[in-house]
Amino acid sequence: IPAAKQCRVFANDLNPESYKWLKHNAKQNKIREDRLDTYNLDAREFISTVFVNHFKTIVMENQQNSSPVDVHITMNLPALAVTFLDVFQGLLCDEEELNVPSLPLPIVHVYTFSKAEDYVADVQERVEANLGSGLDADHLLEIAYVRNVSPNKEMLRASFRVPRAILFCKSAKRKREGDDAHCKKLK
């Protein structure tokens, strides 16, 4: 809700009760309707449909504007969010017209828990495993400590730019059954 006061937000929650309160809170906080679109979808469906459709518009507008825009995706369900990162593998596989130099690589902020002693290394390893690719210094922006949630359990946020190769299927291998054939046609 606070972000929608500063920029355009597409919010999604699978839980119908949470979705109801998202809409209620937007109204209570007087968020303009042109600033917040709300959805009640599975995260993978939301990213592969709603996000991709709006991202196309952003890329086309970005080509005409002199000032580039940043696109941020916040995945804030720490128990599961990191497991949804595979949705970015080949996400734009069928959208070759978007593979332009001005493409704003989406910046993902994913929250997760770690019980590892070296929790930064643990989070980076799990993010990369779910993305299907390593993240170099140009793409991995930060792994930030958020808070301690219980003895020996930390919450962290990994922020990274999704590499072009992952979005367009050049080196990504989808983990979900049946998706491999979809990406192989580009190779």
Side-chain angles (χ1 to χ4, degrees):
I1 299 292
K5 292 183 178 187
Q6 304 296 319
C7 60
R8 181 86 187 270
V9 172
F10 301 92
N12 181 60
D13 202 309
L14 180 60
N15 181 321
E17 190 68 14
S18 297
Y19 173 73
K20 178 183 98 173
W21 286 106
L22 172 64
K23 292 177 71 77
H24 172 79
N25 287 333
K27 190 173 184 177
Q28 288 295 108
N29 285 283
K30 299 180 176 91
I31 301 298
R32 294 183 355 215
E33 287 185 24
D34 65 329
R35 289 288 184 114
L36 178 67
D37 291 340
T38 59
Y39 299 88
N40 182 216
L41 301 170
D42 170 75
R44 284 190 177 88
E45 180 184 358
F46 174 78
I47 291 171
S48 63
T49 59
V50 174
F51 171 75
V52 169
N53 288 333
H54 288 288
F55 191 61
K56 285 182 197 178
T57 303
I58 291 167
V59 172
M60 297 310 168
E61 289 173 356
N62 204 32
Q63 288 178 325
Q64 298 168 356
N65 295 335
S66 58
S67 57
V69 297
D70 283 331
V71 176
H72 294 262
I73 300 169
T74 300
M75 303 173 78
N76 61 352
L77 182 64
L80 295 173
V82 74
T83 65
F84 287 98
L85 294 176
D86 65 323
V87 74
F88 294 104
Q89 296 177 20
L91 182 66
L92 302 178
C93 206
D94 291 332
E95 311 294 340
E96 277 299 316
E97 73 278 5
L98 298 182
N99 198 357
V100 296
S102 62
L103 177 79
L105 296 178
I107 300 170
V108 175
H109 308 279
V110 61
Y111 288 80
T112 189
F113 296 125
S114 179
K115 291 183 176 182
E117 192 170 311
D118 185 351
Y119 50 78
V120 171
D122 172 56
V123 168
Q124 182 171 351
E125 181 180 304
R126 289 188 293 119
V127 165
E128 291 175 342
N130 283 285
L131 273 176
S133 177
L135 292 170
D136 60 23
D138 291 333
H139 292 91
L140 182 61
L141 305 175
E142 173 183 46
I143 296 178
Y145 176 84
V146 176
R147 65 185 178 99
N148 176 267
V149 293
S150 68
N152 302 316
K153 186 174 183 180
E154 313 301 333
M155 182 190 294
L156 295 104
R157 182 193 70 243
S159 298
F160 61 91
R161 291 186 190 277
V162 182
R164 184 182 298 265
I166 290 174
L167 291 170
F168 289 99
C169 229
K170 301 298 184 204
S171 63
K173 295 180 182 173
R174 287 189 177 234
K175 297 186 332 184
R176 295 181 309 236
E177 189 176 323
D179 285 342
D180 292 295
H182 175 70
C183 289
K184 286 181 183 173
K185 69 181 180 184
L186 284 182
K187 293 181 181 175

